[in-house]
Amino acid sequence: VDLRQAMAHLASGVSLLATRDVVGRDCGLTVTSLVSLSLSPPLCLVAVKRGGFLHDALEVADGWAVTMLAADQVALAAYAARHRYPSDTDDFSGYPHRRGSASGALYFTGGVAAIECLPHQLIDGGDHTIAVGRVVSIATDCVGDGPLLYHERRYHGLGSVVSDR
């Protein structure tokens, strides 16, 4: 079964999950698995590959931020999606950002929206860990215009409206 190929047909929003590692360095990962899980309490989830660059940091994080990227943030998405080794570091200084007040994690003000989460639950998801976070704040200073989408292994902007419903 080629699940990866089948799932490539599903268009997804592109987000950047950011936290600090165990020594306080900023790290981030491009994700397409952001899901709103509950409104009461406000929960969202992301799935992160085990053994990946951000996985270990997420397991010990005091919190994280998720920025829903704008269509003009392809370079940022590609940067955070690149292959990294455990000794590598991220440098987000070239991208406008702020720190969330609850976790200190970065969010990117050029995005269409951003949320900050505190850890709620980590769940075994096969070769991924599902991180459920309690949303504690929503950024009010994001200026992005139109979401960045991922479909068939390529980045896209928002297309035409096909229905008002």
Side-chain angles (χ1 to χ4, degrees), residues 26-96:
D26 294 310
C27 52
L29 178 68
T30 301
V31 296
T32 57
S33 61
L34 177 63
V35 176
S36 172
L37 182 61
S38 168
L39 295 178
S40 183
L43 301 174
C44 72
L45 67 81
V46 293
V48 177
K49 184 178 179 181
R50 291 183 186 279
F53 180 75
L54 192 86
H55 185 269
D56 291 346
L58 194 60
E59 285 192 312
V60 298
D62 292 330
W64 57 85
V66 183
T67 305
M68 289 144 248
L69 297 179
D72 64 356
Q73 291 182 300
V74 172
L76 176 56
Y79 178 76
R82 75 194 189 287
H83 176 76
R84 298 183 289 299
Y85 294 98
S87 61
D88 291 345
T89 59
D90 283 335
D91 178 7
F92 292 112
S93 62
Y95 304 97

Side-chain angles (χ1 to χ4, degrees), residues 110-126:
V112 295
I115 57 176
E116 186 178 15
C117 298
L118 296 180
H120 180 76
Q121 187 175 13
L122 296 176
I123 303 166
D124 179 359

Side-chain angles (χ1 to χ4, degrees), residues 70-153:
D72 64 356
Q73 291 182 300
V74 172
L76 176 56
Y79 178 76
R82 75 194 189 287
H83 176 76
R84 298 183 289 299
Y85 294 98
S87 61
D88 291 345
T89 59
D90 283 335
D91 178 7
F92 292 112
S93 62
Y95 304 97
H97 61 272
R98 295 192 196 244
R99 290 197 180 277
S101 59
S103 68
L106 297 180
Y107 69 91
F108 298 87
T109 56
V112 295
I115 57 176
E116 186 178 15
C117 298
L118 296 180
H120 180 76
Q121 187 175 13
L122 296 176
I123 303 166
D124 179 359
D127 60 1
H128 281 62
T129 293
I130 300 164
V132 179
R134 182 172 49 87
V135 179
V136 293
S137 68
I138 298 172
T140 59
D141 56 347
C142 288
V143 298
D145 183 31
L148 180 61
L149 305 174
Y150 194 69
H151 179 249
E152 299 202 347
R153 298 186 181 91

